[in-house]
Amino acid sequence: MARLDGKVAIITGAGQGIGLGYAKRFLEEGAKVVVAELDEERGKAGMQELEGKGEAIYVRTDIADPESAEACAKETAETFGTIDILINNAALYHDIDNTDVSFEYLQKVMSVNQHGAWLMARAVAPYMVTQGSGRIINQSSGAAYSYLFPPMEFSGLGNFSYSITKWGVVGLTKFMAAQLGQYGITVNCIAPGITMTEATKKVVPEEFLGGMTAMTAMKQRLEPEDLAGAAVFFASDDAKFCTGQTLVIDGGLAMPA
Ligand SMILES: NC(=O)c1ccc[n+]([C@@H]2O[C@H](COP(=O)([O-])OP(=O)(O)OC[C@H]3O[C@@H](n4cnc5c(N)ncnc54)[C@H](O)[C@@H]3O)[C@@H](O)[C@H]2O)c1
């Protein structure tokens, strides 16, 4: 039997990359999937890749917009009757501008990568509380644990926008887990190392990529499908009493205590 038979999962940012990888695997495991993606082109392209694999719908969603997050939860519940799983995967990564160190840009990245995860969790929580069960899986990054940056062309203070939002997601996971556990809801987090998505190929310079891979224990590059098993575990009954945890999957680089 598939491990997530009949479960309803919202996966944010599932139009491409790691989120699409999660969506494919969740369908294989019997879940019904909501592709909650801001970019319509990516959303539609993702849906094409999911065709024939199981029950999936696309709901255009901006996780940084409270009304859009609420509407996504509502449409999911109206379509599938419930919400069992939320994967907070969406973030500004492919489209991030690491050269913009302004305060305004820091606020923008925060509003998507960190506040967006909170807004989506807030939107699904009432449904999960009512049914007395739920699984929330946040997406951090090895960037939260690494103080190395690709070389930049300025000498002032960076705003560390991507890394600090990913560190914030680790903390958010613990607070949400502590509060929602009493309702049968677990909250965990995955922190992938550099994974070979289109976004990585665009954002991370090849020489930096090579250097980072060489520093890992396994000396190999991760693909999106290498992360999906951990998401299935957190979403399944096997992880019933596992909450507030962050699992780093990076081939052996960060190894936080
Ligand atoms: N690829 C990596 O090496 C890596 C490593 C660690 C963590 N991560 C994290 O994994 C996740 C996916 O990474 P990826 O490589 O697939 O990146 P990606 O940029 O290709 O995917 C992110 C998706 O989120 C969508 N999105 C952006 N803003 C949104 C919003 N406001 N509302 C809804 N959707 C929005 C984008 O359109 C995109 O499809 C991100 O959270 C990223 O930070 C990636």
Side-chain angles (χ1 to χ4, degrees), residues 16 18 37 42 62 89 94 139 162 166 195 197 200:
Q16 63 180 20
I18 295 173
E37 164 68 55
R42 289 176 191 164
D62 180 357
N89 164 80
H94 184 279
Q139 183 92 325
Y162 182 75
K166 291 300 176 180
T195 306
T197 60
T200 290

Side-chain angles (χ1 to χ4, degrees), residues 58-113:
Y58 169 54
V59 179
R60 187 179 178 277
T61 309
D62 180 357
I63 61 163
D65 172 359
E67 282 177 18
S68 182
E70 300 286 336
C72 175
K74 190 165 177 275
E75 191 171 336
T76 302
E78 280 171 3
T79 307
F80 293 126
T82 184
I83 306 168
D84 299 298
I85 301 155
L86 165 68
I87 305 189
N88 269 322
N89 164 80
L92 271 175
Y93 177 50
H94 184 279
D95 306 311
I96 202 152
D97 180 0
N98 282 318
T99 63
D100 190 339
V101 295
S102 68
F103 178 51
E104 291 71 25
Y105 196 64
L106 172 62
Q107 287 177 307
K108 182 182 161 99
V109 180
M110 284 287 229
S111 77
V112 179
N113 293 14

Side-chain angles (χ1 to χ4, degrees), residues 162-174:
Y162 182 75
S163 299
I164 60 166
T165 56
K166 291 300 176 180
W167 183 232
V169 164
V170 173
L172 188 62
T173 300
K174 294 175 195 284

Side-chain angles (χ1 to χ4, degrees), residues 1-21:
M1 193 175 102
R3 292 173 77 187
L4 303 176
D5 254 344
K7 299 287 182 196
V8 176
I10 298 177
I11 306 177
T12 68
Q16 63 180 20
I18 295 173
L20 182 57

